[in-house]
Amino acid sequence: MDADVDPTVAGPPSPGLSVVGSRPPRVDASDKVVGRARYAMDVSLPGMLVGKVLRSPHAHARIVSIDTRPAEALPGVFAVVTAADLPPIDPEDKRASGEQTFQDRTFASRKVLYVGHPVAAVAARTEAIADEALSRIVVQYEVLPAVTDVMEAVREDAPILHEGLRPRSLAGQDDSPTNVASYFEQVKGDPAAGFAEADVIVERVFRTKMVHQGYLEPHVSTATWNDRGDLTIYATTQGSFAVRDHVVRLLRLPMSRVRVIPMEVGGAFGGKNSSYVDGTAALLARKARRPVKVAMSRFETFQATGPSSGTVIRVKMGATRDGRITAAEATLTYEAGAYPGSPVGSGAHVMFSPYVIPNGRIEGYDVVVNRPAVDSYRAPGATPACFAAEQVVNELADRLGVDPIDFRLRNSASEGSEALDGTVQGSIGAVEVLEAAKAHPHYTAPLGGANRGRGVAHAFWGNWGARSSVTITVNPDGTVALLTGSVDVTGTRTSIAMQAAEVLGLPLERVKATVGDTDAIGYSDVSAGSRTTVATGHAAVKAAKDVIAKMCARAADIWGVPVDGIAFRDGVFRTTGDIARAFTFVELAGLLPDTGNVVIGVGNVDVGDWGASFGTHIADVEVDPETGKVTLLRYTVVQDVGKAIHPVEVEGQLQGGATQGIGWALYEGYDYDSNGQMLNPTLLDYKLPTMMDVPAIETVLVEVPYPGHPFGARGVGETPIMPPPAAIAEAIYQAVGARVCDLPMTPARILESLGII
Amino acid sequence: MAGKLLVSATINGEAVEFLCEPQQSLLTCLRDILGLTGAKEGCNDGNCGACSVLLNGRLVNSCLVLAAEVEGCDIVTVEGLASWQGLHPLQEAFIAEDALQCGYCTPGMLIASKALLDRNPNPTEQEIRSWLAGNLCRCTGYDKIVRAVQAAAQHLESSRRIERVAEKG
Amino acid sequence: MKPFAYVAPASVDEAVALLAEKGERARPLAGGTDLLVQLRRGRFDLDVVVDVKRIPELTRIAYDRAEGLTVGAAVTCAVLGEHPEVRGLYPGLLDAASIIGGAAIQGRATLGGNLGNAAPSGDAIPALIVLGAEAIVAGPDGGRRVPVAGFCTGPGKTVLRRGELVVAFHVPAPHPRSGASYVRFIPRGEMDIAVAGVGAWVALSAGGDTEETSRVEAARIALAAVAPTPLCVESAGAALVGRAPVEVAFEEAAALAREAARPIDDMRGTLAQRRHLVGVLVKRALRKAVRRALGVS
């Protein structure tokens, strides 16, 4: 629990809300439908140059030399930069190794670790000149053996990516070079005894491929400096302060010198928490003394941004004949890509957490391979883990002859349940969600044809809180200007403004919400972890309450009564004493300029208490037994959303998240050849679901209010990506008897499982 | 290097002349030369639809058209959808149905939807999904987009009916 | 994309002269849906791109009951699909032409481009092959006609010589009681490249109004994406001749086509999957073609 959060605002939502829970048009929509909304790709500055990055053609190689002179000599080239242009690192500094790794992600200094690893960059007058300049940079490589498969990377004879890497574990460090960046083991109870007690045990190994967030807008950044040394960056990011901090660290600048202006974001899903070209643009612009825009192509976006880990996950679970889970065990091996940091811990945390399991053991391995370093993707690490665990849960239920939802209810976690890793559930709606799924007409509707099947899967995601800043300035006409530091990636300007409007007693039209740049508003963490509507909502409520308190004080001044003699209710300030006096919000706002200072409400929070979200999905499929092609017939998402601040946006999160999960289930995955070249870096062969591939997605919003939020809201965005692969896998099994354990579940895999090919 | 070409075309109803390099796409010229940044680049190889425009009334990916090819042609971009009377019914419906999140695919989705309704004023859900399959959206799961196109089709149909009645009257 | 010059000639002669002069350094630009992508990927570079869409012969569609159908090489799939006679008489061609890309690609992609690109997976090629289509080629040494069945010689390779240009396709008038079809397998609902594709054409003898009472007079089967070029499997067509167009005969044709296929493993499909799909798709294509021949679809 965090002291910054006003405890008086907590508690379940009261009836009689007027803005929260309504369905207004989102405030960003009107600019987006006419092409007026400004994205980072749309930025154009006078004298702006085109920046382009030279990338490694090799998956693993030592850089012998880089000769940039032929490129520099080309007319129209203004700057060429490499790792040599980054600030020197003092080898005596104890942070030297970490700083070197950090710099190497922007430009490789000694070794390239994946195809697409940046080696140099140019700024030139036109794209054609920039391309020509790149082709003139001479890089000599000593090509090294590469390893892109996670199970090969853990072998003793595997090529080593980082000679200095030693495995990190709870027990300390080992001393031999390895690609295992870290490992952990969590044990609860007595797993052997738990399995001995079981009547049915299912054990399987699941493999999933690296996948990409697939945001439609590639990364792009425009940087410009003035002669004082002030840097301005127009970025596409989930966090303007994250970009600022990244560039400050990379170029060693005072924080106050860097202003990051967040533009509209063309999709992110975790993939825009990190910077890929902001530092490059800044470095080029400084050297060229002109504004520089660096835009990644789709090809570069696939090859050289942070996708999500491919995984190998072994799961073993046991249950008694009466449907009680007695033990669970899992080994998770996650690709980190070129640098340590896969979300294996998060996968381990969520996979068995929907259930009360007395005995268990989870091992996790974070493994570097010659692929791009992974980044977050919507519920990082959780979807493969959910796919694995939930398939085994379904198979147990099937083997026991128990209804899969009843089986889950029998073992469901509830408030106070302890997970295998020792974490304890707070207020959750797990049971409510399962019961709502079971009661939904979809669950019992006839399938209506041959080769059709139905599957369910269930997921837990913990969500996040963290730091957010909001200010609210009262205008004399009774409108307010709300400034937030949270980049809007999902419609949060609307949902944050709604919470402020509710507290201020104003209609939404009177609250203008704007995302501020880093010079304009206080620090705010990235818009990630399903935190923004919840945590920045806390900040907005706090700022609104500050406004009300200051306006109460002003009313007290005007009326000459003590401030505790003023109450604010239903949008009206009233005296509570004998003489009845009242101002509407608009009336009092109009008096502000002549009676004192401007009223600005401030809401800075570091939210430490937030609610988790459970979801249950129901999928119906038809499988063509001759071709293995899966057609989704019907899909329903049931989720505990706490309180839907803006129900339409919540539905959109559930539908969009489920669709990404459907893509992961059936179509998406990075393919590599044996040299570490990605084979499908296009939207032709990296297959996002099209409108033809998903049915209408029904949503059921279950509202189990979270007591720690002013309106009871929970984060909603991430949970819905998790269940689709397991739900669809079960539906395929029920349809044609193929138990597919690898993602994506391609037609070829299904035919192989059926023994047809 | 080949010299620049002078291209004359009609864009959103206005006669336009611009200079382009022969290898530049229509998308690049719309965005970087003509300042019409509504059409977006998502893939630059015709697989996402974010750059959709109408070329002589036909739906095309402007990334797969050379600017030099549009000499004498008529082009409509998202900036040309609304009129002085207000938003196009598709734009109104996309707002009302919340058929967008990040908005990056929206200009292309709107143009493709207009191309559909121009040809097929009363499409079925399956026809909408098939026609718009070349326009990827990563945010919405498509459902609300389908509803918006259906709502716009209905609105346009009732407008036509009113016009017909008015003509008779 | 490396810079190049752009020329839009108004006549076949001008285009041929330019292509002959520049040889490998020039390519015709029809819809651009393959060419521009390949140029952008740097697969090759050119001195000049020859836009053939302003040449009247390349953008015309003509149908004559005796002569059959002539389709300009630069006619877009969208325009082709709106042509009444093509819709009524050549549904097998439209099966293929209408699934090349989504709506926006349809507005640009052309039969000439699909053939000229000579991808093993080109959907229109098997459809043209089974209809007995010929490419009408213009060149510096005059014109010639090339059966589409023999046009492609390898991935991206064709019989065209320096300076030659496909002007149009000629498709014979439909044989009475004949039907054609094209079916393919793709992982998604649209927008994909064929993992395998099959074109089929059957002509039935006079008499008999059901599958069981009819006899196949002639048949052709052609495959996509299972060999270095689109592949006409003559044995599979021949196996149907003289027999009733029913499942047992289709099975035999399917088996012959499976044997003739020479698929590879790649990220779009496995060898075993493709060979299997050939069998499945041959039967599906034949069923559809026979229904059309009988006028029951």
Side-chain angles (χ1 to χ4, degrees):
Chain A
M1 190 69 194
D2 181 79
D4 268 359
V5 180
D6 179 354
T8 62
V9 303
S14 52
L17 295 170
S18 53
V19 182
V20 164
S22 68
R23 301 173 163 240
R26 62 171 62 217
V27 298
D28 50 323
S30 62
D31 279 348
K32 286 176 175 173
V33 298
V34 297
R36 192 188 294 130
R38 295 242 303 155
Y39 296 81
M41 199 73 95
D42 304 335
V43 170
S44 181
L45 300 175
M48 188 173 81
L49 303 173
V50 176
K52 287 226 161 187
V53 178
L54 182 70
R55 298 180 181 279
S56 167
H58 306 295
H60 195 191
R62 215 174 298 287
I63 298 172
V64 178
S65 65
I66 305 177
D67 185 0
T68 58
R69 285 167 303 179
E72 282 155 1
L74 191 68
V77 172
F78 285 70
V80 183
V81 295
T82 66
D85 292 272
L86 294 171
I89 294 168
D90 175 6
E92 300 302 314
D93 188 334
K94 64 180 191 307
R95 292 167 306 177
S97 152
E99 286 308 296
Q100 189 62 59
T101 299
F102 179 73
Q103 289 193 358
D104 280 353
R105 287 170 175 243
T106 299
F107 289 118
S109 58
R110 285 163 295 188
K111 261 172 74 165
V112 289
L113 296 171
Y114 60 96
V115 174
H117 200 153
V119 174
V122 303
R125 196 160 37 78
T126 67
E127 186 172 4
I129 297 171
D131 281 335
E132 176 65 24
L134 289 186
S135 72
R136 293 188 182 200
I137 298 173
V138 183
V139 186
Q140 276 195 308
Y141 294 100
E142 178 197 338
V143 178
L144 303 170
V147 59
T148 55
D149 180 88
V150 70
M151 295 319 274
E152 281 173 27
V154 299
R155 287 164 49 148
E156 279 192 1
D157 58 349
I160 295 293
L161 272 74
H162 302 278
E163 286 81 0
L165 184 68
R166 299 293 178 271
R168 193 164 47 79
S169 74
L170 296 175
Q173 284 195 349
D174 199 345
D175 208 33
S176 46
T178 175
N179 292 320
V180 178
S182 66
Y183 64 86
F184 60 82
E185 185 180 25
Q186 298 159 350
V187 183
K188 179 184 175 187
D190 182 345
F195 283 114
E197 201 189 326
D199 297 308
V200 179
I201 293 174
V202 173
E203 180 173 12
R204 288 191 179 271
V205 177
F206 301 86
R207 288 182 178 78
T208 73
K209 288 184 178 177
M210 184 172 256
V211 298
H212 198 268
Q213 298 85 356
Y215 38 80
L216 275 196
E217 175 206 41
H219 291 264
V220 53
S221 185
T222 304
T224 183
W225 298 75
N226 70 10
D227 292 325
R228 240 166 57 101
D230 295 321
L231 168 64
T232 302
I233 294 177
Y234 299 83
T236 177
T237 177
Q238 291 174 245
S240 44
F241 290 91
V243 174
R244 182 196 68 179
D245 294 352
H246 174 91
V247 174
V248 159
R249 181 176 172 193
L250 189 72
L251 302 184
R252 300 207 193 126
L253 301 167
M255 285 181 169
S256 61
R257 286 274 185 239
V258 182
R259 176 183 178 208
V260 175
I261 301 176
M263 308 299 290
E264 291 293 344
V265 183
F269 318 113
K272 289 176 182 166
N273 287 330
S274 298
S275 273
Y276 294 97
V277 286
D278 300 304
T280 314
L283 197 59
L284 283 169
R286 185 165 67 183
K287 199 164 182 180
R289 301 183 66 82
R290 297 268 290 267
V292 175
K293 179 169 166 179
V294 182
M296 294 178 88
S297 65
R298 177 57 54 184
F299 201 83
E300 289 176 291
T301 299
F302 274 122
Q303 291 198 319
T305 64
S308 193
S309 303
T311 70
V312 179
I313 303 173
R314 182 189 63 87
V315 177
K316 181 179 174 186
M317 294 179 86
T320 57
R321 214 167 281 118
D322 63 347
R324 199 165 42 81
I325 300 172
T326 56
E329 204 174 80
T331 309
L332 298 90
T333 310
Y334 276 43
E335 290 164 354
Y339 297 100
S342 78
V344 61
S346 136
H349 173 57
V350 301
M351 66 188 300
F352 297 129
S353 288
Y355 310 108
V356 177
I357 303 175
N359 310 292
R361 197 166 71 91
I362 304 184
E363 287 177 289
Y365 294 85
D366 180 32
V367 181
V368 293
V369 292
N370 293 115
R371 296 176 174 226
V374 301
D375 200 351
S376 302
Y377 178 26
R378 205 169 197 155
T383 301
C386 181
F387 170 61
E390 287 294 296
Q391 271 230 73
V392 170
V393 169
N394 280 331
E395 194 171 350
L396 278 176
D398 199 62
R399 298 259 298 269
L400 291 165
V402 187
D403 173 88
I405 293 184
D406 286 341
F407 183 57
R408 287 173 169 88
L409 279 167
R410 174 88 172 79
N411 294 282
S412 179
S414 54
E415 187 163 354
S417 305
E418 191 189 305
L420 290 188
D421 63 5
T423 55
V424 175
Q425 293 287 8
S427 158
I428 52 172
V431 168
E432 289 85 344
V433 164
L434 286 166
E435 284 172 346
K438 197 171 178 203
H440 193 277
H442 181 177
Y443 194 59
T444 44
L447 281 162
N451 302 310
R452 294 182 172 192
R454 175 170 298 146
V456 298
H458 186 53
F460 154 80
W461 181 249
N463 297 321
W464 194 31
R467 292 166 293 179
S468 288
S469 302
V470 166
T471 61
I472 297 175
T473 305
V474 181
N475 297 316
D477 64 354
T479 62
V480 304
L482 184 155
L483 201 59
T484 161
S486 292
V487 172
D488 182 353
V489 290
T490 56
T492 51
R493 265 166 296 191
T494 309
S495 60
I496 292 163
M498 287 169 77
Q499 295 175 72
E502 187 69 53
V503 174
L504 295 170
L506 295 174
L508 182 61
E509 304 79 64
R510 289 187 167 266
V511 182
K512 164 94 183 287
T514 306
V515 178
D517 66 58
T518 53
D519 279 2
I521 183 76
Y523 187 93
S524 297
D525 278 305
V526 287
S527 293
S530 304
R531 66 175 284 277
T532 311
T533 293
V534 169
T536 312
H538 269 290
V541 166
K542 192 176 177 188
K545 294 201 154 217
D546 193 25
V547 164
I548 297 301
K550 285 170 176 163
M551 287 180 72
C552 283
R554 188 66 57 87
D557 271 359
I558 293 170
W559 288 325
V561 300
V563 69
D564 59 5
I566 307 283
F568 176 72
R569 202 177 313 116
D570 301 328
V572 181
F573 298 88
R574 294 173 205 279
T575 50
T576 53
D578 298 338
I579 306 161
R581 288 179 171 174
F583 283 133
T584 64
F585 189 95
V586 176
E587 285 167 346
L588 183 54
L591 295 172
L592 294 176
D594 296 329
T595 55
N597 204 353
V598 176
V599 168
I600 301 177
V602 178
N604 295 327
V605 297
D606 183 359
V607 175
D609 175 27
W610 63 85
S613 179
F614 279 80
T616 304
H617 292 200
I618 312 169
D620 289 2
V621 306
E622 180 170 319
V623 182
D624 181 335
E626 288 188 322
T627 65
K629 186 160 175 163
V630 175
T631 303
L632 277 170
L633 303 171
R634 186 171 180 182
Y635 203 94
T636 301
V637 179
V638 183
Q639 189 171 318
D640 173 20
V641 302
K643 169 69 187 173
I645 303 294
H646 188 307
V648 186
E649 287 187 352
V650 172
E651 288 164 16
Q653 286 301 305
L654 270 44
Q655 292 172 327
T659 300
Q660 292 182 342
I662 289 166
W664 204 329
L666 295 174
Y667 307 114
E668 298 178 37
Y670 274 46
D671 291 316
Y672 277 87
D673 72 9
S674 56
N675 296 317
Q677 301 284 343
M678 186 182 177
L679 294 167
N680 57 339
T682 66
L683 289 175
L684 176 63
D685 286 315
Y686 183 92
K687 298 178 188 305
L688 307 187
T690 75
M691 209 177 274
M692 285 286 278
D693 303 311
V694 283
I697 294 172
E698 296 169 65
T699 56
V700 179
L701 311 186
V702 176
E703 295 191 324
V704 179
Y706 186 68
H709 186 268
F711 300 106
R714 300 172 186 271
V716 300
E718 288 165 294
T719 307
I721 196 176
M722 296 166 59
I728 293 168
E730 180 64 15
I732 291 169
Y733 174 73
Q734 296 296 336
V736 291
R739 180 75 67 195
V740 187
C741 297
D742 293 357
L743 296 184
M745 295 179 279
T746 60
R749 288 233 168 87
I750 290 166
L751 292 180
E752 285 160 9
S753 304
L754 291 171
I756 289 173
I757 59 171
Chain B
M1 198 184 296
K4 288 200 175 187
L5 301 171
L6 177 66
V7 178
S8 309
T10 304
I11 301 181
N12 298 330
E14 284 180 42
V16 169
E17 287 195 335
F18 62 92
L19 281 173
C20 71
E21 296 170 27
Q23 80 281 1
Q24 283 179 322
S25 68
L26 175 59
L27 176 63
T28 299
C29 292
L30 286 173
R31 292 178 50 81
D32 296 352
I33 297 173
L34 297 163
L36 294 168
T37 55
K40 300 296 183 222
E41 179 187 318
C43 69
N44 216 20
D45 57 12
N47 285 298
C48 78
C51 67
S52 299
V53 302
L54 300 183
L55 176 59
N56 291 338
R58 292 238 177 244
L59 181 67
V60 300
N61 296 307
S62 61
C63 72
L64 290 186
V65 177
L66 294 177
E69 293 181 73
V70 306
E71 172 63 35
C73 294
D74 185 74
I75 292 156
V76 178
T77 71
V78 71
E79 288 92 343
L81 269 189
S83 70
W84 60 271
Q85 292 168 298
L87 296 180
H88 187 279
L90 275 163
Q91 293 171 313
E92 297 277 13
F94 270 57
I95 296 173
E97 299 290 330
D98 208 49
L100 57 90
Q101 287 179 30
C102 84
Y104 202 75
C105 74
T106 308
M109 204 64 89
L110 284 164
I111 287 288
S113 301
K114 176 173 162 44
L116 170 65
L117 297 186
D118 285 350
R119 260 164 202 74
N120 181 356
N122 294 300
T124 63
E125 171 157 356
Q126 198 53 30
E127 286 169 339
I128 292 170
R129 288 184 179 272
S130 172
W131 181 270
L132 295 177
N135 291 77
L136 297 176
C137 168
R138 190 57 156 174
C139 296
T140 63
Y142 300 111
D143 196 70
K144 294 182 190 298
I145 296 173
V146 174
R147 303 309 141 219
V149 176
Q150 288 172 327
Q154 268 175 17
H155 177 92
L156 286 161
E157 176 64 30
S158 52
S159 303
R160 277 189 300 272
R161 215 173 294 134
I162 290 164
E163 272 170 35
R164 278 197 300 272
V165 172
E167 275 167 27
K168 277 182 199 158
Chain C
M1 192 151 44
K2 287 248 173 91
F4 48 75
Y6 167 88
V7 184
S11 73
V12 170
D13 288 350
E14 270 179 79
V16 165
L18 202 54
L19 291 168
E21 182 200 329
K22 297 287 184 179
E24 291 287 296
R25 304 295 301 170
R27 291 242 182 155
L29 167 70
T33 56
D34 287 316
L35 182 70
L36 296 183
V37 174
Q38 290 161 0
L39 282 167
R40 220 165 261 153
R41 298 231 175 104
R43 198 166 294 171
F44 46 80
D45 30 278
L46 299 176
D47 293 340
V48 59
V49 158
V50 183
D51 183 356
V52 295
K53 289 188 293 298
R54 307 223 172 218
I55 306 173
E57 293 91 320
L58 275 91
T59 54
R60 209 177 275 154
I61 305 179
Y63 173 74
D64 177 283
R65 199 174 294 182
E67 287 296 309
L69 178 71
T70 305
V71 181
V75 170
T76 65
C77 293
V79 169
L80 189 69
E82 289 163 9
H83 193 272
E85 271 97 5
V86 175
R87 291 175 72 89
L89 300 170
Y90 298 93
L93 182 56
L94 282 191
D95 281 351
S98 65
I99 57 173
I100 298 171
I105 298 291
Q106 288 276 300
R108 297 288 288 172
T110 66
L111 295 186
N114 201 240
L115 184 67
N117 190 48
S121 55
D123 290 305
I125 307 174
L128 287 165
I129 289 174
V130 297
L131 287 168
E134 290 179 321
I136 301 168
V137 175
D141 306 322
R144 59 175 176 140
R145 288 182 164 224
V146 181
V148 173
F151 191 88
C152 300
T153 56
K157 293 196 164 56
T158 71
V159 298
L160 286 186
R161 299 189 282 255
R162 188 180 177 116
E164 283 190 327
L165 171 71
V166 177
V167 173
F169 295 92
H170 175 256
V171 190
H175 185 289
R177 287 173 59 79
S178 71
S181 70
Y182 177 77
V183 295
R184 69 173 180 186
F185 181 79
I186 55 173
R188 287 184 295 189
E190 264 189 31
M191 297 301 291
D192 286 340
I193 303 290
V195 178
V198 173
W201 173 83
V202 291
L204 305 177
S205 329
D209 52 9
T210 65
E211 279 87 346
E212 290 73 18
T213 55
S214 297
R215 291 292 175 273
V216 175
E217 193 175 290
R220 285 191 284 266
I221 286 168
L223 316 178
V226 294
T229 64
L231 194 67
C232 183
V233 187
E234 285 174 18
S235 60
L240 294 166
V241 173
R243 303 176 60 180
V246 294
E247 283 303 306
V248 56
F250 297 167
E251 284 286 357
E252 207 172 300
L256 289 164
R258 264 199 311 267
E259 264 172 52
R262 305 196 299 281
I264 56 166
D265 270 321
D266 66 15
M267 65 181 162
R268 291 183 183 143
T270 70
L271 190 157
Q273 177 194 18
R274 287 191 160 111
R275 197 179 288 285
H276 167 76
L277 285 172
V278 166
V280 173
L281 297 176
V282 163
K283 286 183 276 182
R284 291 184 181 183
L286 281 169
R287 285 178 208 133
K288 198 170 175 184
V290 167
R291 278 201 306 276
R292 281 177 175 157
L294 291 168
V296 294
S297 58

